Amino acid sequence: MSRNQELFDRARGVIPGGVDSPVRAYGSVGGTPRFMVSAQGAYVTDADGRDYVDLVASWGPALLGHSHPAVIEAVVEAARRGLSFGAPTAAETELAEEIRSRVPAAEKIRLVSTGTEATMTAIRLARAATGRDLLVKFAGHYHGHSDGLLAQAGSGLATLALPGSAGVPAPIAAQTLVIGYNDRAAVEELFRAHEGKIAAIITEAAGANMGVVPPAPGFTAFLSDIAHRNGALLISDEVLTGFRSSRSGYAGVLDAAGEHVVPDLIAFGKVIGGGLPVAAVAGRAEIMDLLAPTGPVYQAGTLSGNPVAVAAGLATLTHADEAVYRTLDSVAHTVAAEASAALTDAGVPHVVQWAGTLFSIFFGESVVGGVPDYATATSQDADAYGRFFHAMLGAGVSLPPSAFEAWFVTAAHDDAAIARIVDALPAAAEAARS
Ligand SMILES: Cc1ncc(COP(=O)(O)O)c(C=O)c1O
Ligand SMILES: NCC(=O)CCC(=O)O
């Protein structure tokens, strides 16, 4: 028996499903999850000693590649000074300033530990600022696992085909109105039907938890306009896209396309922790100042702004210069083009979709015209993806174990790593077809 299997069997005896986050369980692709023991650059190594070119990147944070020397050094130095003080540190201000320098709409920033906390707090702030309760959310978008945000969510709920979560009180679920992404008429209808009651629209800056589904041109600006005309706020969730889609996240991609949108509140996570738990809620100063201790909205955290985690995030952002984003862009385009060519050669219908340097590939006849929303995303051929996934894994390439996730490249994916991916593609494309 493989060591991975042994560890999985043992884990299942004490951890529900053997995993601490459902997306790790290979639920939709089947098989035994790889238990990782180390990660360096573009590679992860499992308990059987096999290495894989990694296209998961810890689900986003490993922008520079795993265990980047500058990040490890910053973490070790910070750890030597102290693991946690429960008191403010200068580095928290430095990280907040670095975030604001890239995303000016983040006028003030509160650090938390997970993306879930960031969106949860953003919603509480929006409700406090508007004195309203209702929230508009898009089907297929994932904003973490707080009660109000699990209806028709992406990520693991999409993978496991769950419509929502048990254990959410009906009155709380009723505060969230879910509609299709990129559907302007549905948004207009909601604001008509619930006049004066909607606190905020929350949207992923670009959908990336049902596969990558970017906003249609003008859609995000439309959301901002309609929210503001109706006295509601726009919350942009950049937990996944932030500092990955571009240097300034998906906001930077929109800016470059001439669509300048200033969200009232923004959630960040993943890259700003560089692999350790840091996330943030940010936005207009007057709204952010509603947070305690300046305002009446309570939010707190024993380990918020933890010095070791902040050191990892700061080192990651400091090293993520223009050259890093050029590399990410070029690696992503090479991998996507090679994969698409192999699938075309094998006669597998598919479409590649982009959000800046982030992409994913949908398989199946129903997606070739493009995937604008969750209804189309769920029509994809997830079984074909599962066969493709396992063929790639067998050839030493670790893709996200779900058809509903983005493919994450890192700046450490060099020619050798890309060559291994390219060599694996023809057989994987054949497997997807059969
Ligand atoms: C867009 C988005 N928002 C929020 C979250 C939740 O973040 P976390 O897993 O850190 O709670 C995630 C990913 O997990 C995400 O992709
Ligand atoms: N795109 C999906 C995620 O990032 C979620 C990771 C997790 O829940 O473990």
Side-chain angles (χ1 to χ4, degrees):
M1 193 197 284
S2 84
R3 182 85 183 121
N4 290 306
Q5 187 65 49
E6 246 172 68
L7 290 172
F8 191 40
D9 292 346
R10 183 171 151 204
R12 277 185 296 192
V14 65
I15 297 172
V19 291
D20 280 324
S21 194
V23 299
R24 301 175 191 170
Y26 282 25
S28 67
V29 295
T32 306
R34 302 304 187 255
F35 278 59
M36 298 306 176
V37 293
S38 65
Q40 280 291 332
Y43 298 86
V44 287
T45 302
D46 75 7
D48 281 321
R50 287 199 61 196
D51 66 32
Y52 304 84
V53 172
D54 185 26
L55 292 171
V56 182
S58 184
W59 303 91
L63 189 82
L64 304 175
H66 292 287
S67 312
H68 187 282
V71 177
I72 299 296
E73 193 183 326
V75 165
V76 169
E77 265 182 34
R80 286 218 171 90
R81 286 192 298 269
L83 294 181
S84 179
F85 309 118
T89 59
E92 291 159 68
T93 306
E94 270 181 66
L95 181 56
E97 285 172 349
E98 172 67 27
I99 291 170
R100 187 173 61 185
S101 76
R102 291 170 176 239
V103 184
E107 293 173 359
K108 284 203 171 173
I109 294 139
R110 169 67 59 86
L111 297 183
V112 294
S113 299
T114 67
T116 296
E117 287 173 83
T119 57
M120 189 179 77
T121 301
I123 291 164
R124 190 175 298 150
L125 275 169
R127 287 177 168 149
T130 59
R132 302 170 176 183
D133 287 344
L134 293 181
L135 181 73
V136 177
K137 160 191 189 296
F138 296 105
H141 283 199
Y142 179 66
H143 303 290
H145 61 93
S146 67
D147 275 354
L149 290 171
L150 289 169
Q152 294 183 52
S155 184
L157 292 101
T159 305
L160 301 171
L162 301 173
S165 172
V168 175
I172 291 182
Q175 304 302 312
T176 307
L177 311 168
V178 185
I179 49 173
Y181 193 40
N182 283 319
D183 185 345
R184 290 189 188 214
V187 181
E188 281 163 355
E189 176 52 33
L190 274 189
F191 275 99
R192 261 195 304 275
H194 302 277
E195 203 187 331
K197 299 212 169 96
I198 295 174
I201 304 173
I202 186 166
T203 182
E204 284 190 49
N209 282 287
M210 49 173 153
V212 171
V213 178
F219 184 70
T220 312
F222 159 79
L223 292 180
S224 173
D225 286 348
I226 194 165
H228 294 153
R229 269 192 282 114
N230 288 280
L233 304 185
L234 178 66
I235 303 171
S236 178
D237 183 348
E238 292 245 25
V239 167
L240 199 151
T241 50
F243 314 103
R244 174 172 277 280
S245 274
S246 83
R247 190 181 171 281
S248 311
Y250 201 74
V253 177
L254 287 179
D255 267 343
E259 189 177 333
H260 186 58
V261 179
V262 184
D264 302 285
L265 291 165
I266 313 168
F268 297 112
K270 296 194 189 270
V271 170
I272 65 165
L276 290 181
V278 184
V281 53
R284 264 166 48 202
E286 86 235 37
I287 304 175
M288 291 299 296
D289 281 335
L290 293 174
L291 284 176
T294 36
V297 177
Y298 201 72
Q299 179 280 330
T302 303
L303 295 179
S304 286
N306 172 269
V308 181
V310 165
L314 199 51
T316 299
L317 286 185
T318 308
H319 279 77
D321 57 10
E322 293 297 346
V324 161
Y325 288 99
R326 277 197 300 275
T327 304
L328 286 169
D329 200 49
S330 135
V331 172
H333 277 88
T334 304
V335 172
E338 294 283 352
S340 182
L343 291 166
T344 300
D345 286 350
V348 179
H350 67 280
V351 67
V352 183
Q353 297 205 160
W354 290 92
T357 69
L358 193 67
F359 74 99
S360 75
I361 304 182
F362 294 88
F363 291 61
E365 286 294 350
S366 64
V367 300
V368 291
V371 179
D373 56 22
Y374 192 45
T376 318
T378 51
S379 77
Q380 71 182 305
D381 187 348
D383 291 342
Y385 180 81
R387 294 191 297 273
F388 180 82
F389 166 87
H390 274 294
M392 294 297 284
L393 193 69
V397 178
S398 172
L399 282 163
S402 164
F404 292 90
E405 299 287 356
W407 299 25
F408 296 96
V409 302
T410 80
H413 281 71
D414 57 8
D415 290 349
I418 292 171
R420 190 193 288 187
I421 297 170
V422 171
D423 288 348
L425 283 167
E430 282 301 325
R433 188 172 53 121
S434 51

